Amino acid sequence: DAMERLAEQSLPPQDKAIKIKEMQKEWKSLGGASDEALWLRFKSASDLAYEPCKAYNAEQDVLKSNNLLKRQTLIEQLSVLVENNDWPNADWKAADQINRKAREEWRAAFPVDHKANRSIQKQFNKLLDQLDGHLAKERARNLILKEQIVEKALALISLEDLDQAINSAKSLQKDWQDIGI
């Protein structure tokens, strides 16, 4: 009776599937039924209740497959960037933006099949580590340059000529912006 009522209920497919499994487990724990007609009734109600779950699962399989393809494409694109970029002359702002965007797109390409995702997750992490390494070197280099600008700015405090201090401060602001990430 409970399975027949469940078949008529309008629930999200994943919730309905959980309830079906719970009822099937309970059925087995009771030792099934010696009455073949009762078993067929339970099985029929179970199958009927599971119909919306089948369509949902099929949709999820397609979604997972599409997301896996998106992730594989993202890995290919990142691989080309990491391996072929002219790092000494890189556009660091663009590289930093690509780093953030790749992470966003990776998260957005979910759900995926866990087994199929394992190996590509490792590839993605490795590529991000390489990209992060290049960005970290540039940030460290820029930090030194920005610290030098701060020292120069602090020295402006002691200047008596206010116009010269203002013009120098403006120049330092431009230098700061030109440094980058």
Side-chain angles (χ1 to χ4, degrees):
D1 289 342
M3 188 63 82
E4 288 171 341
R5 283 193 304 273
L6 181 62
E8 296 170 0
Q9 289 179 352
S10 182
L11 294 172
Q14 55 273 44
D15 294 343
K16 192 174 261 195
I18 291 169
K19 288 186 183 259
I20 292 168
K21 287 180 184 178
E22 288 171 355
M23 286 187 204
Q24 289 173 338
K25 186 177 178 181
E26 185 178 356
W27 178 271
K28 288 178 185 176
S29 73
L30 296 172
S34 58
D35 183 355
E36 183 71 20
L38 187 59
W39 161 246
L40 290 175
R41 181 178 163 207
F42 179 79
K43 174 82 170 95
S44 175
S46 203
D47 291 345
L48 184 61
Y50 195 72
E51 278 303 314
C53 302
K54 283 182 184 177
Y56 173 79
N57 289 340
E59 289 172 7
Q60 287 297 300
D61 288 345
V62 169
L63 179 62
K64 288 177 182 181
S65 177
N66 289 340
N67 285 337
L68 186 64
L69 289 174
K70 287 178 186 176
R71 285 183 170 196
Q72 289 169 335
T73 300
L74 188 57
I75 285 174
E76 291 168 8
Q77 293 169 341
L78 268 178
S79 180
V80 167
L81 171 74
V82 169
E83 293 171 11
N84 298 332
N85 197 19
D86 180 14
W87 291 111
N89 301 308
D91 179 349
W92 292 107
K93 288 182 182 180
D96 190 44
Q97 187 176 14
I98 289 169
N99 188 3
R100 279 191 243 120
K101 186 74 171 164
R103 293 170 194 271
E104 289 173 18
E105 288 180 18
W106 188 266
R107 281 189 297 273
F110 186 82
V112 291
D113 179 71
H114 296 292
K115 289 180 183 177
N117 188 54
R118 278 189 199 131
S119 66
I120 65 168
Q121 182 69 53
K122 289 178 183 176
Q123 291 173 347
F124 182 71
N125 291 343
K126 182 180 175 185
L127 288 167
L128 283 183
D129 287 346
Q130 292 172 348
L131 181 55
D132 287 341
H134 290 295
L135 290 168
K137 286 178 187 174
E138 180 64 12
R139 285 186 182 109
R141 187 181 72 79
N142 291 345
L143 179 62
I144 293 168
L145 296 173
K146 287 184 176 187
E147 286 172 345
Q148 291 171 352
I149 290 175
V150 169
E151 289 174 16
K152 291 177 184 176
L154 289 171
L156 294 178
I157 294 171
S158 63
L159 279 181
E160 301 246 347
D161 184 352
L162 188 57
D163 287 336
Q164 182 185 359
I166 290 172
N167 289 333
S168 295
K170 288 179 182 179
S171 176
L172 290 175
Q173 287 174 337
K174 185 184 179 321
D175 292 346
W176 180 280
Q177 290 173 345
D178 290 344
I179 289 175
I181 66 169

